[in-house]
Amino acid sequence: MPASRSVRTTGALVVAGLVALGGAACTSSSHPEADGQSVAAACATLADTVEQAMTAFTEADAADPAAAAQATAEVRDDLAAAVTSIGNARVEAVAADLRAGFDVLAEATAAASAGDIAGATGLADATDRIRTGLAEYHDLCSG
């Protein structure tokens, strides 16, 4: 599969997952947990980052592997920053899992943008990790 097609496919899958997640409201308990921040407050912190991720992927030109790689790297960096501002261990773990998926995706899209098709083999793993992270976020933050 050509690099740009791999990146486009991955971008489309991630955007679909993020769009599905975007409607999830943070309705979890607002009572503080032992670690100092309620699940709802921590989810709200993460929700802003997830919304920014959706915007970055929506605005990235999926036909441009370098742009997709840049957008992915920015999302990864934003998630890394969000993890440091979350004061709830459960939500922090979900954010860290989601960031790990974007770490793999950032590496794979960077490889694809450089024309390294073999290096883009992590796209499927990254997509699975991101889907799992989004599902965990949705389960924790919408219920």
Side-chain angles (χ1 to χ4, degrees), residues 65-138:
Q70 180 63 34
T72 303
E74 289 172 6
V75 169
R76 176 196 57 203
D77 295 345
D78 289 347
L79 284 168
V83 169
T84 65
S85 64
I86 295 172
N88 181 284
R90 291 170 54 205
V91 178
E92 183 178 355
V94 168
D97 287 347
L98 194 54
R99 191 197 76 225
F102 276 98
D103 286 344
V104 174
L105 184 59
E107 291 173 17
T109 56
S113 73
D116 179 9
I117 301 303
T121 58
L123 292 173
D125 179 45
T127 302
D128 289 343
R129 286 178 178 224
I130 292 168
R131 272 193 227 139
T132 299
L134 291 172
E136 290 172 356
Y137 170 78
H138 178 72

Side-chain angles (χ1 to χ4, degrees), residues 10-99:
T10 301
L13 290 171
V14 173
V15 168
L18 290 172
V19 168
L21 176 65
C26 293
T27 58
S28 299
S29 170
S30 62
H31 300 292
E33 301 229 347
D35 48 8
Q37 187 179 36
S38 70
V39 170
C43 286
T45 299
L46 187 55
D48 290 341
T49 302
V50 170
E51 186 170 326
Q52 290 169 0
M54 285 176 43
T55 300
F57 275 102
T58 301
E59 293 176 354
D61 181 1
D64 181 355
Q70 180 63 34
T72 303
E74 289 172 6
V75 169
R76 176 196 57 203
D77 295 345
D78 289 347
L79 284 168
V83 169
T84 65
S85 64
I86 295 172
N88 181 284
R90 291 170 54 205
V91 178
E92 183 178 355
V94 168
D97 287 347
L98 194 54
R99 191 197 76 225

